[in-house]
Amino acid sequence: MGDIVKSSRWIALAALALTCSTPAMAKDWKTVTVAMEGSYAPWNQTDASGKIVGFEVDILNDVCARAKLECNIVAQDWDGVVPGLTAGKFDIVMDGMSITEERMKTIDFSIPYASSPVAFLADKNGPLAQLSNSGKMIDLSKDDAESKAALDTLRKELTGKNVGLQVSTTEATFADKYLKDVANVHEYKTTDEHDLDLMAGRIDVAFADTTYFLGTLAKPDAKDLEFVGPQFKGGPILGPGIGAAFRKTDKDLQDIYNKALKAALDDGSVSKYSMQWFKIDITK
């Protein structure tokens, strides 16, 4: 029995040693693959040469230089970014993605690098040009009488209207909760598609991030469009801001990224990129 006990102890100690050595065997992050849609201007967009450029590309290049990482960007359709991340096709997603409670059930996020409320865009000469509460910011994290009144009014004014938005976005989740039972909600694979339908009059209003719409409004063929109705931020659906997405198993990579990102935020670099791409500072 003594030999058996000794053997059992030896096996237990060996197992413990193996367990303790596991952190040393963690992935040595030198090269990472980062997914972006490449069609969400000016967050990330594909230029005439086929290269992805934009606000998030500048942030990524800065972060990777500080963290001494080689970062390779790949294009991925929006509806495949989370499945592709969890399946290991790439290591990070940067695609104007809001940090929400629902998404954090399956993935993790960096600290926020931007904040962008959601808003509505419509024809300035159309039936929704006079949508109530235009220009007013509604913070859904407060869940107060003002928020409830603004949502009630919005629901009444959008009843029977055609609302366009991108699939699998916070806007889609917002519409599922507040609009789908009163409005005709049309989901699109890309934001460009709902912009085209809005300009063609096939939908009454488009719903997306304000920063995305700033890019839309800069286009010559969008001269008849304008922001209408209230803008919304915060709460469980819209979250505290926008960040990079990671697999829950890659805490070490997330920590490396966050350290470099915080330095870029603290020294004003991210604000500089924001001014370059949006003409406003969206880091606040």
Side-chain angles (χ1 to χ4, degrees), residues 1-277:
M1 289 294 291
D3 288 342
I4 293 174
V5 171
K6 288 178 182 178
S7 297
S8 298
R9 287 176 178 170
W10 184 89
I11 292 170
L13 288 170
L16 179 62
L18 182 61
T19 301
C20 291
S21 67
T22 301
M25 298 169 63
K27 186 167 182 178
D28 184 13
W29 295 103
K30 292 181 179 178
T31 302
V32 297
T33 302
V34 183
M36 298 184 183
E37 194 175 353
S39 60
Y40 194 57
W43 294 82
N44 58 80
Q45 61 201 63
T46 305
D47 67 13
S49 70
K51 183 181 179 182
I52 296 180
V53 298
F55 173 58
E56 287 175 307
V57 176
D58 286 355
I59 294 176
L60 178 66
N61 289 339
D62 189 318
V63 166
C64 291
R66 293 174 194 256
K68 296 181 171 53
L69 293 171
E70 179 183 336
C71 295
N72 302 313
I73 299 174
V74 296
Q76 172 64 57
D77 288 346
W78 169 256
D79 56 4
V81 291
V82 173
L85 177 65
T86 56
K89 287 179 61 179
F90 28 81
D91 307 303
I92 302 173
V93 171
M94 293 180 70
D95 204 16
M97 187 179 289
S98 296
I99 303 166
T100 67
E101 293 178 3
E102 185 63 29
R103 286 174 177 154
M104 289 189 71
K105 292 176 182 177
T106 54
I107 57 177
D108 276 343
F109 284 91
S110 68
I111 57 175
Y113 49 74
S115 176
S116 180
V118 295
F120 296 91
L121 202 67
D123 189 324
K124 64 177 66 173
N125 301 308
L128 294 182
Q130 302 303 317
L131 210 60
S132 297
N133 295 313
S134 286
K136 194 169 188 178
M137 181 67 66
I138 304 299
D139 187 349
L140 295 178
S141 64
K142 295 181 179 178
D143 193 28
D144 55 11
E146 182 183 38
S147 300
K148 290 183 173 67
L151 287 167
D152 287 344
T153 300
L154 182 68
R155 283 170 53 80
K156 289 175 184 175
E157 295 183 338
L158 291 184
T159 297
K161 303 300 183 183
N162 294 300
V163 180
L165 49 83
Q166 189 178 22
V167 67
S168 302
T169 56
T170 50
E171 291 83 6
T173 306
F174 180 102
D176 281 344
K177 182 169 184 178
Y178 298 115
L179 302 176
K180 214 161 193 177
D181 61 328
V182 295
N184 303 312
V185 176
H186 303 263
E187 295 189 343
Y188 295 83
K189 191 175 182 65
T190 69
T191 46
D192 282 340
E193 291 175 1
H194 66 51
D195 286 357
L196 290 172
D197 270 8
L198 178 61
M199 293 175 195
R202 287 186 286 268
I203 57 174
D204 299 304
V205 65
F207 187 36
D209 284 349
T210 53
T211 49
Y212 167 76
F213 279 146
L214 290 175
T216 299
L217 291 170
K219 298 176 182 177
D221 51 356
K223 64 183 185 303
D224 291 329
L225 303 181
E226 67 178 4
F227 284 112
V228 298
Q231 298 180 12
F232 295 92
K233 68 177 184 178
I237 292 176
L238 300 178
I242 290 166
F246 298 81
R247 285 183 291 274
K248 285 188 172 290
T249 53
D250 291 341
K251 296 289 187 185
D252 50 350
L253 177 59
Q254 186 181 350
D255 289 344
I256 292 168
Y257 183 101
N258 275 338
K259 182 179 179 181
L261 175 58
K262 186 177 186 305
L265 286 164
D266 288 347
D267 70 13
S269 295
V270 181
S271 293
K272 180 184 73 174
Y273 307 140
S274 175
M275 293 301 298
Q276 176 186 340
W277 289 100

